[in-house]
Amino acid sequence: MTHRWHKKRPHFPFVTLLFFIIILLTILYNETSIKRINQQQDDLKKKYVFGQDHFLNFATFWKQNAFLKKSPVTLDKFSTCDLTVKYSGRKGQYDAHMPKSYDKREEQGECDYFSGKWVFDNTSYPLYDEFDCPYMSDQLACHKHGRQDLGYQNFRWKPHGCNLKRWNATEMWEKLQGKRLMFVGDSLNRGQWISMVCLLQSVIPATKQSMTPNAQLTIFRAEDYNASVEFLWAPLLVESNSDDPVDHRLDERIIRPDSILRHAARWEHADILVFNSYLWWRQGSVKLQWSRENDGICEEISGLGGMELAMEAWAEWVASKMNPLKQKAFFVTMSPTHFLREEWQPESSGNCYNEKTPIENETYWGSGSDIATMEMVKKVLGRLSSKVNVINITQLSEYRKDGHPTIYRKFWETLPPEKLSKPESYSDCIHWCLPGVPDVWNELLFQFL
Ligand SMILES: *[C@@H]1O[C@H](CO)[C@@H](O)[C@H](O)[C@H]1NC(C)=O
Ligand SMILES: *[C@@H]1O[C@H](CO)[C@@H](O)[C@H](O)[C@H]1NC(C)=O
Ligand SMILES: *[C@@H]1O[C@H](CO)[C@@H](O)[C@H](O)[C@H]1NC(C)=O
Ligand SMILES: *[C@@H]1O[C@H](CO)[C@@H](O)[C@H](O)[C@H]1NC(C)=O
Ligand SMILES: *[C@@H]1O[C@H](CO)[C@@H](O)[C@H](O)[C@H]1NC(C)=O
């Protein structure tokens, strides 16, 4: 009996019905989605043309994620803009935690450590030997790459009215005991990090130190101090298509002005943070892709405008997430370039190539250090008051036209003969030889820790 009953009502038709209902729902869902897509695409004057195959377009749209509340596609070196429009004036939602007013920064005691002069001192300087530092970069090892005049290694920074504390690597390690010191920024900041590692590594045995392979985050560890000195490549502070530490994208700069958290996730647990950002904003306009917009649509803004948006996003992170009782943050101001000899020696040509001594004119300021940028940085940092210490390297580094690698470094690209015969044409007047100027930036950091 029961056997027959079963035969009359098999499960099969019910399963089939369910299947068709699902298919129907899927089609309906896709139809409405596609209407929404078309609407949106029209609104945005985007160049997608919807063909016959709705499913395919739905898949494309799925990737574009405009209505699915998933996180946006991460920018990388392959990211491009499908459409670029003028900057709309839009700002991030940054102001929640930022004080509105400008706080007058407390002076560091009586003395302004950033105003002074360079004194030749070949008994105390250099603070380490270029060839004794296993972590030296070929971009900065000027003696190794043929520089013969080594005076650039022998200058001490003498602030007016006081002296910098003497560098002491053991004392620095004691300050770093159980801590993570992290440098975050571009290649200038990386130079400062290498300088710090070189300044510190000699006092600990080789077996008690280690360095991870070069990556976006590179870590130097000192076992006995349970401490690390790290570098995070983030040249534009916020997420960008230039975040690959080796293969930088240079031609089209795209940033997500509202995406600081992706980088912050890597720095948020550091105890001491040293940030910089400047030169990557000096190559013309940048493009903005807001996180919740369709990928591919960009707004174009000036480099300075882009930097201000990035600085505001960064400042909001500092104001809301950083714990000043546990963490310390520093911002290193713009590192000057020396591209135009006529600026320090009127009626001459050339650049920093062959410069062997610092500039003595104390009011000297070159065109490479953009005053509008400095004003903006000062305004943003002013609102963070005591949460961020400024390491104002700009003026003191302005004097050091002699401190750049020029032709005495490794160049990754092959240089054609017509360039090789004119050293000025490929001189690096941006970075700094080590030992050299960045060691003093670190002495200032040591002073303020
Ligand atoms: C330091 O410089 C002075 C003057 O140029 C020179 O006479 C002296 O030999 C140098 N000392 C060292 C240790 O290089
Ligand atoms: C460096 O610092 C250590 C630890 O604070 C101290 O013992 C040593 O005397 C200092 N060295 C110099 C040359 O001041
Ligand atoms: C080492 O330092 C980290 C913080 O950087 C801390 O979490 C950990 O407890 C320390 N370990 C020891 C053994 O002190
Ligand atoms: C010193 O530098 C300033 C600013 O760059 C310039 O205006 C001035 O003429 C220079 N003075 C001398 C004596 O070269
Ligand atoms: C850094 O110092 C220069 C003068 O040397 C000054 O004009 C500038 O405002 C300072 N920047 C900051 C952020 O304090």
Side-chain angles (χ1 to χ4, degrees):
M1 287 276 282
T2 36
H3 188 73
R4 290 184 125 202
W5 187 242
H6 265 271
K7 268 197 174 165
K8 271 187 177 172
R9 298 188 55 188
H11 288 294
F12 177 70
F14 177 69
V15 173
T16 315
L17 185 67
L18 199 68
F19 181 73
F20 279 116
I21 288 171
I22 288 170
I23 293 285
L24 191 69
L25 281 175
T26 311
I27 291 169
L28 282 174
Y29 180 59
N30 282 333
E31 288 297 332
T32 39
S33 299
I34 284 154
K35 273 189 198 132
R36 292 176 61 182
I37 297 164
N38 283 329
Q39 185 60 45
Q40 228 166 355
Q41 299 296 336
D42 286 342
D43 288 352
L44 294 166
K45 295 194 177 70
K46 258 199 96 183
K47 57 188 181 191
Y48 283 109
V49 179
F50 280 80
Q52 298 295 338
D53 190 343
H54 287 178
F55 286 95
L56 187 72
N57 286 312
F58 183 61
T60 312
F61 190 65
W62 188 283
K63 271 196 277 175
Q64 298 295 321
N65 74 69
F67 77 91
L68 295 166
K69 285 281 181 215
K70 73 168 183 157
S71 56
V73 174
T74 300
L75 291 181
D76 62 25
K77 61 179 179 249
F78 305 111
S79 303
T80 50
C81 297
D82 294 333
L83 184 76
T84 300
V85 297
K86 243 181 70 194
Y87 175 53
S88 61
R90 174 174 172 179
K91 297 261 179 187
Q93 307 291 313
Y94 309 133
D95 282 346
H97 301 89
M98 289 282 285
K100 293 280 175 285
S101 65
Y102 177 93
D103 278 1
K104 184 130 176 52
R105 190 169 291 279
E106 277 175 48
E107 296 299 323
Q108 312 256 11
E110 303 279 284
C111 179
D112 176 2
Y113 289 94
F114 310 120
S115 148
K117 62 176 187 201
W118 292 95
V119 181
F120 184 78
D121 175 356
N122 62 357
T123 52
S124 320
Y125 289 78
L127 296 168
Y128 55 91
D129 185 326
E130 179 188 310
F131 296 96
D132 287 347
C133 181
Y135 312 105
M136 183 57 69
S137 157
D138 271 339
Q139 200 177 27
L140 312 172
C142 300
H143 191 188
K144 177 181 166 190
H145 288 91
R147 186 156 174 181
Q148 293 305 311
D149 63 301
L150 299 179
Y152 69 90
Q153 300 190 354
N154 297 134
F155 285 93
R156 173 163 51 90
W157 177 246
K158 170 78 181 75
H160 292 311
C162 59
N163 288 304
L164 270 188
K165 205 164 123 167
R166 252 187 101 87
W167 171 257
N168 180 331
T170 311
E171 190 183 334
M172 184 67 175
W173 277 123
E174 285 167 1
K175 287 178 197 278
L176 295 180
Q177 175 89 48
K179 293 200 165 93
R180 291 174 68 190
L181 163 62
M182 193 187 289
F183 292 84
V184 180
D186 60 21
S187 59
L188 277 309
N189 201 266
R190 183 169 54 208
Q192 188 178 350
W193 168 69
I194 292 169
S195 154
M196 183 58 97
V197 171
C198 291
L199 282 164
L200 283 169
Q201 63 85 28
S202 65
V203 299
I204 50 176
T207 53
K208 300 281 190 179
Q209 50 177 274
S210 63
M211 180 74 93
T212 63
N214 186 26
Q216 194 184 12
L217 179 64
T218 312
I219 304 172
F220 175 74
R221 278 203 184 84
E223 210 179 287
D224 291 345
Y225 290 99
N226 184 30
S228 61
V229 181
E230 313 179 19
F231 174 67
L232 180 71
W233 174 258
L236 298 155
L237 294 176
V238 290
E239 181 184 336
S240 78
N241 66 344
S242 307
D243 290 340
D244 186 311
V246 181
D247 186 4
H248 313 320
R249 172 78 179 271
L250 296 168
D251 57 332
E252 184 182 47
R253 204 140 292 176
I254 308 175
I255 63 166
R256 281 206 199 287
D258 53 350
S259 172
I260 193 83
L261 295 181
R262 209 175 131 238
H263 289 160
R266 312 196 76 169
W267 76 53
E268 64 186 351
H269 298 300
D271 301 280
I272 304 159
L273 283 157
V274 182
F275 294 95
N276 94 323
S277 192
Y278 172 54
L279 282 176
W280 282 67
W281 301 105
R282 299 280 296 157
Q283 336 246 313
S285 65
V286 294
K287 294 178 178 173
L288 314 174
Q289 263 186 24
W290 298 90
S291 296
R292 293 292 169 200
E293 296 300 315
N294 240 342
D295 288 317
I297 297 183
C298 298
E299 292 180 345
E300 190 165 20
I301 191 172
S302 69
L304 176 58
M307 180 173 175
E308 183 163 9
L309 290 175
M311 287 291 291
E312 282 172 356
W314 167 83
E316 171 63 15
W317 182 88
V318 171
S320 61
K321 301 279 179 11
M322 213 186 82
N323 179 352
L325 298 176
K326 286 196 183 137
Q327 291 173 301
K328 270 190 174 165
F330 295 86
F331 192 89
V332 179
T333 60
M334 1 184 229
S335 172
T337 53
H338 292 93
F339 292 126
L340 294 169
R341 179 170 285 128
E342 63 186 11
E343 291 186 344
W344 58 86
Q345 192 182 313
E347 283 154 53
S348 64
S349 63
N351 54 31
C352 74
Y353 175 66
N354 238 346
E355 289 293 344
K356 298 188 169 78
T357 52
I359 291 168
E360 288 183 1
N361 174 358
E362 280 200 24
T363 58
Y364 178 77
W365 187 278
S367 64
S369 299
D370 182 50
I371 290 176
T373 303
M374 189 61 111
E375 287 302 310
M376 181 276 289
V377 166
K378 199 168 174 167
K379 197 179 80 194
V380 174
L381 293 177
R383 289 173 66 189
L384 293 170
S385 64
S386 55
K387 280 199 152 184
V388 179
N389 295 287
V390 184
I391 302 189
N392 195 339
I393 61 159
T394 308
Q395 181 70 72
L396 65 95
S397 309
E398 276 288 0
Y399 304 138
R400 294 303 305 274
K401 61 180 168 55
D402 61 318
H404 299 287
T406 66
I407 62 171
Y408 305 111
R409 53 161 280 194
K410 183 177 166 120
F411 290 92
W412 319 106
E413 68 280 13
T414 3
L415 296 159
E418 59 274 19
K419 274 205 163 181
L420 286 171
S421 64
K422 275 200 288 164
E424 261 102 357
S425 69
Y426 69 101
S427 277
D428 177 351
C429 297
I430 296 175
H431 300 97
W432 303 93
C433 297
L434 291 182
V437 175
D439 301 335
V440 169
W441 305 349
N442 281 322
E443 288 190 281
L444 289 162
L445 178 61
F446 178 59
Q447 177 84 41
F448 301 141
L449 271 180

